[in-house]
Amino acid sequence: MSTTQSDRLRGLLEPLVAAKGLDLEEIELSKAGKRRMLRIVVDSDEGVELDVCAELSREVSDLLDASDVMGEDEYVLEVSSPGADRPLSEHRHYVRAIGRLVKFQLAEGGELIARILDVDDEGMDLEVPGVKGRKATARRIAFTDIAKARVEIEFNRKDKKEEEA
């Protein structure tokens, strides 16, 4: 997608998404056979429910139909929330991932898997799980030390409420 079209789409859609209390995370326009696929990813601190995506999809469709930003060619619109294992790239992504296990690709090389405990403007406090029965250790990491980060899906982790009971 051209930068100009991306900018036009973002300029058109961001006020609508923000009015719903959501963040416009990503706009992706790609070819899908003879049609184009417009994928819009939204998120919030509380997550995004399916009903909100459906309502937003109708409103985005109406807004796009009323404008010329998509041109005359057919397209398929998809409005969704980010996946559970999405990449973390913005400060707000790390804040939303507090308590989650994350796989970090370090800028200096190597990787680290740790749970985010707290996030501030410079970086975050982590809990690195112990190996072979050892206790977990605390670690501080700066945002500048991170090349990539992605939430790890945990199938067997108990919810904090379950742990406290």
Side-chain angles (χ1 to χ4, degrees), residues 88 94 97-106 110-119 124-131 136-141 146 148-154 157:
L88 305 177
Y94 291 99
I98 289 175
R100 305 283 307 270
L101 197 63
V102 175
K103 183 177 188 177
F104 297 94
Q105 298 293 327
L106 304 176
E111 66 182 35
L112 170 68
I113 297 177
R115 190 168 311 283
I116 299 176
L117 299 177
D118 193 28
V119 178
M124 63 199 90
D125 296 322
L126 307 173
E127 178 185 72
V128 181
V131 179
T137 57
R139 179 167 176 181
R140 173 88 182 155
I141 189 169
I146 302 169
K148 292 182 186 178
R150 184 178 297 274
V151 171
E152 291 284 285
I153 296 175
E154 297 178 85
R157 182 167 187 239

Side-chain angles (χ1 to χ4, degrees), residues 10-21:
R10 186 166 287 280
L12 182 68
L13 299 176
E14 207 149 34
L16 175 63
V17 172
K20 298 271 184 205

Side-chain angles (χ1 to χ4, degrees), residues 15-33:
L16 175 63
V17 172
K20 298 271 184 205
L22 303 170
D23 296 315
L24 181 57
E25 294 291 347
E26 183 181 337
I27 298 174
E28 179 184 314
L29 184 61
S30 60
K31 283 277 197 192

